[in-house]
Amino acid sequence: MARFPDNEIISLVSKAPRFDLAESVGPSVRLAELIDTAFGDDADFSLDYGTAAGNPELRQEIATESGVHADDVVVTVGGMHALFLIAFTLCQAGDEAIVAEPVFPLARNALTAVGAVTRPLALSFDTGYRIDLEALRKLLFPKTKLVSLASPQNPSGVAIPEHTLRDIVAMLAEHAPDAWLLIDETYREAAYGEDAAAPSAACLGPKVISVSSLSKCHGSAGLRIGWAITRDTALRQALVTAKFSTVISCSPVDEALALAVFRQRERIIGEKRTLLAQNLQLVENWVLRHPGHIDWVRPDAGALCCMRLKPEVFDAAAVERFYATLAKYSTRVAPGAWFGDDPLVFRLGFGLPTLTALAIALECVSVALTEATRAPEGAATF
């Protein structure tokens, strides 16, 4: 009966352990920070329907940041709603979609749920999760309808350089002219410290679709506000119609609060970038202390990165002991299997804890690494 496959990543919205390094978010904005900006002294807020396209002022804020026109923006119920509407609108049963993997599983699930045939574009730890353009070209056919990428990627935090994206746009025009390029930019603005955020991919071509949300960089996952940006008028109208046919509109309360987030975005994002830079440096220093146990791919942006247990040290039993020991210390990382990655890989989220809490959590991971590779009692030694 299930149209959506099960995945243990659903545990992220269940009860969290004491140290949750599986999360990919940072600290959440508090309602009290937004309420005055959103509503002022006027408690007489009318709970009407919103518009199908989304609050015009909110769409203008999104458009200004992304370098597009407000009419190019469709506000959705979180980024996942945008991904689903795009899959539902562009893909019929049997159509082919290329998905870069490992991937946030819900992004792939949206395509399989509408009957699309997904073809994986494999990204690997060994190549730093960089896209192989020749491998992508070999997957493209005239019947390809969608190429789904993320930049920065989830789970790795690796960004796709702008020149690579431009090459992909040109490649699709030549080899799959009917295909759309979807870029999930949810982590794009989560740069580190004074690093500049990458520009939005929304302006790279008329068949490029950008998706993002307030969940990660803006610390407002509970508002359930996301958006899709397309410069194609027909597709935009189709997405508005699809949104109306599924949820009618977003909550006007959520949209008013989202507008307040945008009006405080410099403060909100600035604070998060400072925290991310500090925490990333702590993680980098911690990795250097464990050269015999793990390798990692340093992320370009976002509150997440991929680490790999060294295959010459961790057999299957040691991997099991690693996760069992983490659980014993009420600590969690995100197994690579959640994303279709190697079982030795795990995603480590470093944006949620304070610097002090992150230091303690990493020490718990250190203990797990040591205990997992210690010979079990009774094991033969030579």
Side-chain angles (χ1 to χ4, degrees):
M1 292 177 62
R3 296 287 294 274
F4 297 102
D6 289 333
N7 189 298
E8 281 300 310
I9 200 169
I10 198 172
S11 64
L12 290 179
V13 292
S14 301
K15 184 178 180 180
R18 181 185 179 195
F19 298 115
D20 197 354
L21 301 182
E23 269 293 1
S24 60
V25 298
S28 295
V29 170
R30 309 293 297 182
L31 181 60
E33 300 176 59
L34 305 177
I35 201 77
D36 289 342
T37 304
F39 306 116
D41 297 326
D42 185 8
D44 189 22
F45 186 88
S46 182
L47 296 179
D48 302 320
Y49 283 114
T51 65
N55 179 295
E57 291 180 275
L58 178 57
R59 287 191 288 117
Q60 183 60 63
E61 291 283 350
I62 295 167
T64 299
E65 194 286 320
S66 302
V68 298
H69 193 278
D71 286 344
D72 299 330
V73 179
V74 181
V75 180
T76 57
V77 186
M80 266 314 307
H81 187 216
L83 293 174
F84 179 79
L85 293 181
I86 291 164
F88 187 83
T89 300
L90 293 180
C91 296
Q92 304 293 323
D95 284 343
E96 290 192 357
I98 296 170
V99 181
E101 297 184 4
V103 63
F104 180 57
L106 277 63
R108 180 180 55 234
N109 293 354
L111 291 161
T112 56
V114 301
V117 177
T118 60
R119 307 183 69 188
L121 172 63
L123 310 177
S124 77
F125 187 97
D126 287 326
T127 57
Y129 296 104
R130 300 295 177 185
I131 289 178
D132 182 333
L133 290 176
E134 181 59 21
L136 174 59
R137 188 193 66 76
K138 291 178 179 178
L139 292 172
L140 293 175
F141 294 94
K143 59 184 177 181
T144 303
K145 289 295 181 70
L146 187 70
V147 175
S148 178
L149 309 176
S151 182
Q153 299 154 1
N154 184 0
S156 69
V158 173
I160 306 171
E162 184 176 351
H163 66 84
T164 301
L165 289 173
R166 292 187 181 279
D167 288 344
I168 293 172
V169 170
M171 186 184 297
L172 264 61
E174 179 179 358
H175 297 284
D178 292 332
W180 296 81
L181 177 61
L182 169 62
I183 309 292
D184 185 338
E185 300 186 312
T186 300
Y187 297 95
R188 178 176 63 84
E189 292 188 81
Y192 303 132
E194 299 300 319
D195 291 354
S200 174
C203 297
L204 290 181
K207 302 206 74 171
V208 176
I209 312 165
S210 166
V211 167
S212 192
S213 77
L214 294 182
S215 297
K216 310 298 183 181
C217 306
H218 301 80
S220 303
L223 290 182
R224 307 312 306 135
I225 291 291
W227 55 87
I229 299 176
T230 173
R231 294 159 65 200
D232 185 277
T233 303
L235 176 58
R236 176 191 173 276
Q237 186 54 52
L239 293 175
V240 170
T241 301
K243 175 188 171 183
F244 177 76
S245 300
T246 52
V247 298
I248 300 181
S249 72
C250 294
S251 159
V253 176
D254 283 0
E255 289 186 327
L257 291 167
L259 187 58
V261 170
F262 266 91
R263 289 174 175 168
Q264 298 183 46
R265 67 185 305 276
E266 287 191 17
R267 174 188 66 82
I268 292 171
I269 292 181
E271 290 173 355
K272 295 188 182 307
R273 288 177 177 173
T274 299
L275 174 67
L276 287 177
Q278 293 173 344
N279 285 10
L280 177 61
Q281 186 60 61
L282 179 62
V283 170
E284 187 163 13
N285 294 341
W286 177 82
V287 169
L288 293 174
R289 290 171 42 207
H290 297 281
H293 290 99
I294 54 172
D295 295 308
W296 79 318
V297 174
R298 193 182 194 278
D300 297 313
L304 69 177
C305 63
C306 280
M307 300 197 176
R308 184 171 66 183
L309 303 170
K310 285 187 173 288
E312 63 270 25
V313 177
F314 287 83
D315 57 15
V319 172
E320 286 189 19
R321 290 195 297 273
F322 172 69
Y323 285 104
T325 306
L326 285 178
K328 184 170 67 173
Y329 289 98
S330 193
T331 304
R332 175 170 65 181
V333 297
W338 287 4
F339 311 96
D341 208 340
D342 188 297
L344 292 169
V345 172
F346 61 90
R347 185 184 77 181
L348 187 140
F350 55 84
L352 186 59
T354 64
L355 194 63
T356 300
L358 178 60
I360 298 171
L362 289 173
E363 288 309 307
C364 293
V365 182
S366 295
V367 173
L369 292 171
T370 302
E371 292 193 9
T373 52
R374 184 178 296 148
E377 288 186 16
T381 57
F382 300 92

